[in-house]
Amino acid sequence: MIVITAGNKYIDIDAYASGIAYAKLLNALGQEAIFASSATTNSSVCSIITDLGFEVVANYQPKKDDKFVLVDLSNPDFFDKIVNKNNIIEIIDHHTGFEKYWADKNIDNNIEFIGSVATLIYEKFCEHKKINLLDSNLCKLLIAAILDNTLNLHSDITTQRDIDAYNTLQKIGNLTNNFDREYFECCQNQINANVLKSIKDDIKIEFVSDKLPKIFGQLTVYNIEPILEKQRDIENLFSSMESEWLLNLICIKDGKSYILSSDILSQNKLSKLFNNTFENNILTLPKFKLRKEIMKMARSESKLENNK
Ligand SMILES: [Mn+2]
């Protein structure tokens, strides 16, 4: 059995959609595969998505000869607990930093700095001439992942390949921009109903560089106002973790990132990294940036300094 899976704590729509779609493709190619995850889904997997009725195996008991495929993740410290690291056959990701690690292990890896893993999965359907398998529901699933991970196709990491995948999926799935709007509205409603939980469901704790706090939350919303109403509660949530932190609040409507932190040491690091100042604990980036972009930026800043 090929077990496709992702992170151990939470997964987003990109991991969810990619895992489900890739399992369908492998099965159609005669390889028995499932998507299994013991993680919680975050607010990007809203009810429009779960209502599509796709199967995710939640309590999978791994067997001895299972083979594992990881999607939307390549840092081995964060793999789902069901993964046997000796039986990994493929890594498909768009977070950078571990390309060489997997190449050295001689494991098939498709790690590219592209808008979404869902785009890479769509391209696999094309390569294997299995586009006919992409029914309207699968198109919705993959489109939602592309929209979320590319910030409505406007983030700097969006490539022409993401745009081509989006356009083709919209056409073959017989969808319009109405679906895009419904998807973002659905996520926003789910977030508004429980802001703190939505934030908790997407916090990464990872040392990347001394330029960046270790605790790094991220939340993508269409409209930032309902979130900022809860600013003090959010600050209390992070302060209780007793470490340096930031929260990247991405607002699709404004096209901006609002970097929130009430921790002074963190603010100092972030002011330097972004060459910008905090006002009322918020540093505003004129163009939104994703966490993976900020991590990449902090990592290369440290490298530059080390090479001096
Ligand atoms: Mn992703």
Side-chain angles (χ1 to χ4, degrees), residues 10-287:
Y10 60 82
I11 56 169
D12 76 348
I13 178 68
D14 196 28
Y16 183 93
S18 298
I20 289 168
Y22 198 34
K24 295 250 179 233
L25 177 63
L26 291 181
N27 281 308
L29 296 172
Q31 293 174 280
E32 213 188 333
I34 52 161
F35 176 56
S37 170
S38 24
T40 328
T41 52
N42 76 13
S43 55
S44 65
V45 186
C46 66
S47 58
I48 274 197
I49 301 299
T50 50
D51 287 350
L52 297 173
F54 287 108
E55 195 198 359
V56 179
V57 182
N59 295 306
Y60 186 69
Q61 301 298 325
K63 319 252 172 344
K64 214 174 128 254
D65 50 358
D66 282 342
K67 304 270 182 275
F68 295 88
V69 174
L70 274 298
V71 289
D72 201 30
L73 180 69
S74 47
N75 183 339
D77 291 345
F78 300 107
F79 289 173
D80 196 301
K81 62 180 187 222
I82 61 176
V83 174
N84 173 348
K85 286 186 186 161
N86 298 318
N87 284 344
I88 294 172
I89 53 166
E90 190 179 14
I91 309 269
I92 310 169
D93 191 20
H94 62 150
H95 300 81
T96 54
F98 285 86
E99 297 89 333
K100 194 174 172 301
Y101 177 90
W102 294 108
D104 287 349
K105 285 194 179 303
N106 247 329
I107 286 170
D108 206 359
N109 76 83
N110 188 355
I111 305 174
E112 296 186 66
F113 202 53
I114 187 173
S116 74
V117 171
T119 298
L120 298 172
I121 301 295
Y122 158 80
E123 290 175 348
K124 286 185 185 287
F125 278 82
C126 300
E127 279 158 33
H128 292 283
K129 305 211 166 13
K130 291 286 180 195
I131 285 287
N132 58 312
L133 292 176
L134 294 169
D135 60 17
S136 169
N137 280 359
L138 270 175
C139 289
K140 283 181 180 171
L141 192 68
L142 292 169
I143 278 187
I146 295 172
L147 287 174
D148 174 83
N149 266 229
T150 63
L151 307 178
N152 202 17
L153 302 172
H154 289 301
S155 74
D156 288 337
I157 66 163
T158 308
T159 64
Q160 189 57 43
R161 287 159 66 190
D162 297 297
I163 296 167
D164 291 345
Y166 168 85
N167 285 334
T168 310
L169 288 165
Q170 197 177 53
K171 207 162 93 197
I172 58 184
N174 234 330
L175 303 168
T176 66
N177 295 346
N178 284 341
F179 174 73
D180 305 4
R181 212 196 52 237
E182 282 166 21
Y183 171 68
F184 282 122
E185 267 175 21
C186 177
C187 292
Q188 177 96 45
N189 291 339
Q190 201 148 315
I191 291 165
N192 291 353
N194 202 337
V195 172
L196 291 184
K197 184 184 180 302
S198 305
I199 291 171
K200 274 190 214 155
D201 285 347
D202 196 355
I203 295 176
K204 268 195 181 159
I205 304 179
E206 179 178 352
F207 177 81
V208 169
S209 125
D210 52 11
K211 310 279 166 204
L212 206 58
K214 213 171 118 186
I215 300 180
F216 196 153
Q218 174 168 281
L219 188 66
T220 301
V221 285
Y222 189 77
N223 175 13
I224 197 75
E225 275 153 35
I227 315 304
L228 292 181
E229 282 168 18
K230 298 258 161 45
Q231 184 178 344
R232 296 298 164 235
D233 296 338
I234 298 170
E235 290 171 2
N236 290 338
L237 167 76
F238 280 94
S239 301
S240 69
M241 298 182 211
E242 291 176 3
S243 187
E244 294 175 15
W245 66 274
L246 77 149
L247 174 64
N248 180 23
L249 290 167
I250 296 172
C251 178
I252 292 186
K253 182 163 70 98
D254 301 352
K256 293 176 181 174
S257 271
Y258 299 93
I259 305 287
L260 172 67
S261 184
S262 56
D263 174 67
I264 299 301
L265 281 174
S266 305
Q267 288 192 359
N268 289 341
K269 284 186 179 178
L270 295 164
S271 296
K272 272 191 206 135
L273 184 66
F274 295 118
N275 196 16
N276 205 332
T277 51
F278 276 84
E279 258 173 72
N280 184 26
N281 296 339
I282 291 173
L283 182 156
T284 305
L285 298 180
K287 167 90 195 272

